[in-house]
Amino acid sequence: MFQNRAEALALALPAAIFAAAVFLVPVIILLSDGFRDPVGGWTISAYTDFFSNSLNQTVFLRTLRLGAIVTVVSAVIGYAAAFAIVSLEPATKGKITGLVVLPLMISPVARTYAWIVILGRTGIVNQAFQALGITDAPLRILFSETAIFIGLLQLFLPLMIISLISALENMPKDAIPAARVLGANWFQVFWKVVLPLTKEGLVIGGTLVFTGSLTAYITPAILGGSKVLMLETLMYQQVSVSGNFVAASVIAFILIVMSFAANILLKRVATARNKVRSQG
Amino acid sequence: MKKVVFASGAVLMLTLGSAQTPVLAQEKTLTISVYALAQDEYKQIVYDPFEKICGCKLVVETGNSVERLAKMEANKANPVVDLAAVSMADALAASRAGLIDKIDTAKLQSFDKLYDIAKDPNGDGMSVGYTFYATSIAYRSDKMKIESWADLLKPEYASHIAWPNVTTNQGPPALYMLGQALGKDTPDLKGAIEAVGESKDDIVTFYEKSSQLVQLMKQEEIWAAPIGRFTWAPFAKLGLPVAWAMPKEGQTGGMNVMILTKGSKNRDLALQFMDFWLSTEVQTKLAEKMIDSPANRQVKVSDEVAGNLTYGEETAKSLKLIPSAVALDNRAGWVKSWNETVGQ
Amino acid sequence: MNSNTLARSLFIPIILFLVIAFLIGPFLIIVAASFSAGDTLAFPPQGFSLRWIAKVFTVESFRASFGMSLFLAIGGTAAALVLGIPASYALSRYKLPGAEVIRTVVSAPIIVPGIIVGLALLRYIVVPFQVGITLALFLAHTALVLPYAVRVVSASLDNLRSDIEEAAVLLGSSRTGAFFRVVMPNIRGGILSAFILGFVTSFNQVPVSLFLSGPGVRTLPVDMIAYMEIVFDPSVAALSALLAFLSIGIVFAAERFLGFSRYV
């Protein structure tokens, strides 16, 4: 740790000032609209109104649920995939990582449309299911929560995998063998060694995936077929159809709070593990 | 190092900033805001010829009607756009928000050639229609028979249709016609929204982008959907037996209009452009390319072209349009009851 | 150990195959559709033709918006790294007063929904300060990429032992010298990841750019959406596929470039 405060501030402040001026201040002004009453005072009535509406409650819970499921599933798959990739020869590793990153290079709009082809009545998934005898008639997968889940997972899984790869790579090489030698089973190895040592990656990846799922617009709009409203689609409606900027800023604020909460929660989970390790 | 970082950042911003100032300040510039539709053809038929005539520079902003309106509202104090093409209801919204001025139609030579419904659609003198379209149902004639808007919700059909979301331009008109078919035509569209709500689990999707429907029709995901005539051409080319319904309640539709921004510094140029767009010559070319159905009644096109457009005075008169004021006053309510009934 | 080795040798390929199939499947559909002769996206594609790829190059607005998006993605990411690397270094190596506040401020852009960001910038930066749309887009994209830059670079700095550079300083190297000679080579991977993440985030950004488009100025994804609102033919798939290949090229070049720098 270097102690020179002036030097530290000189390094850190440009970024902070930039983010504050270009981003934070305008957004805060906009968000404050949600807390104003018509006479110019402060109120939270817009929020109590929002949560007293049963549609809003449903949409809020659905958004939270889908975000959480996508995050958890991508963390599980992400660890498996990141482990597999890290164990590869360097040359193969580069290529596979490239393939994982590849979907990020494709416009989310085009990717979402591709799912319409894959998940449709005559799509590959239904053809495979029917050929394998899993189902007789084509399943209706499109335009449901399942479709949104699949779309979001494909959209954000790469972010989780890359975050975890870089975390796993920075883990001391002998940590796992050492734990194994000391008699830990694979579950213990993961829970007590890998997770604490890769928490930074998990927190980054988890926050990216969760926040991404909350704020994705195109995927729920297209794959949900507007039958399955999410907070972001609801907000877009408020802006572009009703021109109701107050309602939109209320939803925006709720989404922001949810993201912050997820970030803090993930950090908690990760540090709690860490403490256990340092005590044991 | 810090100084270098700062300096390079500053230089970058300065170069970017200076790139913003107009290159030729003395050249006249007209800024218009239009739908993103067929911009390459518009450039060839409308923009490039106009630039030659006026000796000015034309800057074009595109996007959907509501977004562009939101931007006009934000830029109210210092308008960027001189002339905008929007939907009828958005024109009324703009007028209520004090964003636009009355149009001096005496300066438009083409004005008298317009269909009557296009001359002053909102009755406030603030807009002029340049194209209109019919909305009806595109359907698989081998799978179903559509004689009424209510047929779409028949149990044997409902699981094979897409319905426009209430937030799209086609949503409210389709609900309006369904309401008429059900004998429940109130301005709040409640009866129609409830009927759609009862079938919501069957209906394949509530579409946002009509371009998606061609794909769904091709994949046999859907057999029918209410659409605007301007999206009809790709359905006709699918190689499937797709027909355009003539329901007994009639067809609905919409009109797109031009408006002039309040505080614009290029009023005469904007009027000149408007006149050019409405001229028989330009409207004929746009019709022949099957881009916009003409609002100018002197436009004559072949039967084949007419078949792909919403063409002629009779058609124009027969369309059952939702009055702009009704649309505007009820829009928020429609979305609310739609969300509560269908979106949940 | 034998059963373990067997399990691992099976586990790795199976996991990788499933994950990659899931992630790449849609891409293959898009590529296939780009070469299709049919009028809609379909798999398997109907016939082979280059007409959709050819069509991409005839749409005039795509060219201008492509240039804009490329400029924003490269310029915005570079600017974010220029701001973000020193900040990450300060956050990870210094006793910094208000470190948490700075970290939160810098990473805030990631959690605010794009539509709100676009709208806020339009209303409170573009309009009152008469900022041009291009500059506004540049500022917005830089701010959006900044969190990725700081987080990823911080993560690699945290995982790098700081005693090496302290040793370098003790041995007489300047702090700046130690940074460039000791730290930079070791966090190159992090910087590359940050650049890739930033580039693709910026390049594919839709909601923020939606409101920040002005007459004659808009980004490629917004342009694509506008195009698709009117027609959905395989030309959008073709464009997406071409862009993907371009991005792959850039990533490949970046890795080559950074790989080379090791020996320079």
Side-chain angles (χ1 to χ4, degrees):
Chain A
M1 276 284 170
F2 301 129
Q3 302 292 339
N4 189 333
R5 281 190 174 197
E7 209 173 280
L9 284 175
L11 288 169
L13 279 185
I17 291 170
F18 177 83
V22 170
F23 175 83
L24 213 53
V25 172
V27 168
I28 288 174
I29 299 176
L30 190 77
L31 290 179
S32 69
D33 284 355
F35 293 97
R36 301 311 288 255
D37 61 28
V39 263
W42 298 93
T43 171
I44 56 156
S45 66
Y47 289 83
T48 46
D49 287 353
F50 181 87
F51 279 107
S52 60
N53 176 308
S54 78
L55 166 75
N56 293 344
Q57 290 168 3
T58 315
V59 173
F60 171 78
L61 291 175
R62 178 187 293 140
T63 308
L64 190 64
R65 184 174 64 235
L66 265 170
I69 297 175
V70 171
T71 309
V72 170
V73 172
S74 70
V76 172
I77 301 178
Y79 265 112
F83 261 121
I85 291 171
V86 171
S87 68
L88 295 169
E89 297 289 314
T92 334
K93 186 162 75 185
K95 283 179 196 130
I96 300 283
T97 313
L99 285 177
V100 169
V101 179
L102 181 66
L104 292 176
M105 318 278 168
I106 304 159
S107 153
V109 185
R111 273 195 277 169
T112 309
Y113 268 97
W115 284 115
I116 291 186
V117 179
I118 299 171
L119 301 175
R121 289 167 63 87
T122 53
I124 301 165
V125 171
N126 264 318
Q127 280 176 17
F129 277 10
Q130 279 167 294
L132 294 171
I134 299 175
T135 164
D136 294 333
L139 289 178
R140 213 192 241 191
I141 313 170
L142 269 187
F143 311 122
S144 66
E145 273 192 49
T146 316
I148 299 182
F149 164 75
I150 293 174
L152 290 176
L153 185 66
Q154 199 257 356
L155 217 47
F156 299 116
L157 181 59
L159 296 177
M160 179 65 94
I161 299 181
I162 342 183
S163 304
L164 290 178
I165 289 177
S166 88
L168 283 175
E169 277 189 332
N170 289 313
M171 203 170 73
K173 296 278 170 285
D174 45 5
I176 295 177
R180 292 288 290 156
V181 168
L182 293 171
N185 64 31
W186 281 113
F187 179 75
Q188 288 168 320
V189 167
F190 179 77
W191 202 244
K192 300 221 163 136
V193 179
V194 177
L195 195 57
L197 287 174
T198 54
K199 62 164 185 177
E200 195 73 25
L202 182 65
V203 172
I204 294 177
T207 310
L208 289 177
V209 173
F210 186 76
T211 309
S213 306
L214 291 191
T215 56
Y217 169 71
I218 294 159
T219 304
I222 295 178
L223 292 180
S226 315
K227 283 169 106 172
V228 193
L229 274 175
M230 304 259 287
L231 281 177
E232 178 83 359
T233 35
L234 194 64
M235 178 168 77
Y236 187 77
Q237 276 187 5
Q238 298 293 359
V239 175
S240 68
V241 185
S242 318
N244 187 344
F245 294 111
V246 174
S249 85
V250 166
I251 302 178
F253 189 71
I254 294 169
L255 286 170
I256 293 167
V257 170
M258 286 165 79
S259 301
F260 261 114
N263 185 268
I264 291 165
L265 191 76
L266 280 164
K267 272 189 193 150
R268 278 280 161 81
V269 171
T271 27
R273 292 282 89 229
N274 217 12
K275 271 178 200 145
V276 169
R277 184 182 60 117
S278 53
Q279 281 159 7
Chain B
M1 188 187 90
K2 197 67 252 144
K3 276 185 189 144
V4 176
V5 168
F6 252 126
S8 58
V11 168
L12 194 53
M13 294 202 179
L14 282 176
T15 23
L16 282 168
S18 63
Q20 287 306 308
T21 53
V23 190
L24 288 167
Q26 59 273 56
E27 194 183 35
K28 284 188 296 176
T29 304
L30 179 69
T31 307
I32 61 166
S33 164
V34 298
Y35 288 93
L37 183 90
Q39 285 304 297
D40 285 347
E41 284 87 352
Y42 268 111
K43 189 172 180 334
Q44 190 195 342
I45 299 170
V46 189
Y47 309 153
D48 287 351
F50 182 74
E51 281 188 328
K52 254 184 218 142
I53 294 170
C54 72
C56 62
K57 190 169 159 22
L58 196 62
V59 180
V60 183
E61 176 192 48
T62 56
N64 75 40
S65 187
V66 207
E67 272 162 30
R68 291 183 289 118
L69 201 66
K71 266 194 264 180
M72 279 174 69
E73 170 110 51
N75 289 327
K76 192 175 176 179
N78 213 325
V80 182
V81 167
D82 298 308
L83 176 151
V86 295
S87 72
M88 246 167 79
D90 286 331
L92 186 62
S95 135
R96 285 187 187 172
L99 300 176
I100 54 175
D101 274 335
K102 272 213 159 54
I103 296 172
D104 186 356
T105 52
K107 290 190 177 161
L108 301 174
Q109 290 169 8
S110 310
F111 186 71
D112 290 334
K113 301 174 193 161
L114 299 178
Y115 291 123
D116 286 341
I117 60 160
K119 282 181 175 165
D120 184 10
N122 289 329
D124 57 2
M126 298 244 188
S127 62
V128 173
Y130 68 90
T131 186
F132 57 88
Y133 57 85
T135 292
S136 187
I137 302 158
Y139 70 103
R140 285 284 294 269
S141 53
D142 56 333
K143 306 263 191 195
M144 58 207 303
K145 212 170 150 175
I146 299 287
E147 284 163 345
S148 158
W149 284 84
D151 287 351
L152 282 175
L153 297 183
K154 280 184 181 170
E156 65 268 35
Y157 293 162
S159 60
H160 297 283
I161 68 154
W163 189 272
N165 197 1
V166 74
T167 57
T168 64
N169 280 333
Q170 309 312 319
L175 288 168
Y176 178 67
M177 296 313 288
L178 178 64
Q180 300 217 334
L182 298 169
K184 296 175 185 165
D185 53 344
T186 51
D188 61 9
L189 300 177
K190 215 146 209 147
I193 291 175
E194 272 163 20
V196 171
E198 278 162 29
S199 304
K200 70 164 179 165
D201 292 330
D202 290 328
I203 293 174
V204 176
T205 180
F206 297 101
Y207 76 83
E208 304 256 356
K209 312 243 180 276
S210 57
S211 55
Q212 181 189 9
L213 296 174
V214 183
Q215 181 74 32
L216 294 181
M217 194 75 103
K218 176 83 183 178
Q219 283 178 224
E220 305 214 354
E221 224 67 55
I222 57 165
W223 294 345
I227 60 166
R229 189 70 187 184
F230 58 97
T231 52
W232 167 248
F235 289 95
K237 282 194 290 185
L238 268 181
L240 294 168
V242 183
W244 181 262
M246 290 293 177
K248 59 174 186 273
E249 298 85 15
Q251 305 182 44
T252 176
M255 190 180 327
N256 293 334
V257 301
M258 286 188 259
I259 51 178
L260 299 174
T261 321
K262 183 173 271 177
S264 143
K265 294 178 190 72
N266 304 297
R267 183 52 48 83
D268 285 338
L269 207 52
L271 280 165
Q272 194 189 346
F273 179 76
M274 188 183 277
D275 203 24
F276 182 68
W277 192 343
L278 296 173
S279 69
T280 314
E281 184 198 349
V282 170
Q283 290 256 318
T284 306
K285 283 182 186 161
L286 287 170
E288 277 167 353
K289 290 260 181 183
M290 295 182 208
I291 294 162
D292 279 337
S293 299
N296 180 323
R297 88 174 103 79
Q298 295 190 343
V299 172
K300 299 277 178 286
V301 293
S302 69
D303 288 352
E304 191 212 333
V305 171
N308 275 305
L309 294 171
T310 310
Y311 180 70
E313 188 134 34
E314 286 312 305
T315 320
K317 273 188 188 155
S318 74
L319 298 182
K320 297 190 173 170
L321 306 186
I322 304 180
S324 297
V326 172
L328 215 53
D329 294 337
N330 290 286
R331 198 143 63 174
W334 294 338
V335 174
K336 191 166 178 284
S337 55
W338 173 274
N339 280 346
E340 278 157 8
T341 326
V342 183
Q344 200 139 353
Chain C
M1 277 312 264
N2 247 345
S3 68
N4 260 332
T5 327
L6 184 67
R8 284 184 62 148
S9 63
L10 273 176
F11 164 82
I12 290 170
I14 290 173
I15 282 289
L16 288 179
F17 175 79
L18 290 176
V19 168
I20 303 268
F22 175 66
L23 290 177
I24 302 297
F27 177 63
L28 296 181
I29 302 255
I30 291 165
V31 173
S34 327
F35 293 104
S36 159
D39 285 328
T40 50
L41 280 188
F43 194 84
Q46 312 125 300
F48 176 86
S49 93
L50 291 175
R51 68 175 172 137
W52 299 116
I53 297 205
K55 191 177 169 193
V56 169
F57 293 96
T58 66
V59 179
E60 225 167 276
S61 68
F62 283 163
R63 269 175 264 164
S65 54
F66 171 74
M68 174 57 62
S69 278
L70 200 61
F71 158 73
L72 289 174
I74 295 175
T77 308
L81 282 171
V82 165
L83 289 168
I85 296 175
S88 313
Y89 191 67
L91 286 168
S92 120
R93 293 294 189 267
Y94 285 84
K95 265 222 171 74
L96 184 58
E100 267 317 295
V101 176
I102 290 177
R103 199 186 292 272
T104 308
V105 168
V106 166
S107 37
I110 216 168
I111 57 167
V112 177
I115 294 174
I116 290 294
V117 179
L119 201 61
L121 281 173
L122 180 68
R123 285 186 140 187
Y124 303 113
I125 298 264
V126 175
V127 176
F129 298 110
Q130 290 295 302
V131 172
I133 291 290
T134 312
L135 178 57
L137 274 171
F138 175 78
L139 295 174
H141 280 243
T142 305
L144 277 175
V145 173
L146 191 58
Y148 294 91
V150 171
R151 280 170 181 228
V152 178
V153 174
S154 290
S156 29
L157 279 170
D158 288 346
N159 285 308
L160 182 71
R161 293 163 55 175
S162 61
D163 45 7
I164 310 176
E165 66 216 73
E166 279 162 20
V169 172
L170 281 178
L171 290 171
S173 168
S174 70
R175 183 78 40 88
T176 320
F179 178 79
F180 281 105
R181 270 187 232 122
V182 181
V183 182
M184 277 293 262
N186 282 299
I187 58 164
R188 221 179 25 212
I191 293 177
L192 178 65
S193 321
F195 188 87
I196 295 172
L197 267 178
F199 183 90
V200 297
T201 308
S202 162
F203 204 90
N204 290 325
Q205 170 60 40
V206 176
V208 172
S209 317
L210 214 52
F211 280 102
L212 294 178
S213 63
V217 181
R218 71 174 172 198
T219 66
L220 189 55
V222 173
D223 211 26
M224 280 166 72
I225 290 182
Y227 180 85
M228 270 194 297
E229 250 170 60
I230 314 298
V231 265
F232 192 77
D233 60 31
S235 63
V236 171
L239 177 56
S240 308
L242 289 174
L243 290 177
F245 286 121
L246 180 83
S247 306
I248 296 164
I250 289 171
V251 171
F252 187 72
E255 203 161 57
R256 280 300 282 266
F257 172 71
L258 283 172
F260 272 124
S261 69
R262 189 182 312 194
Y263 308 103
V264 177

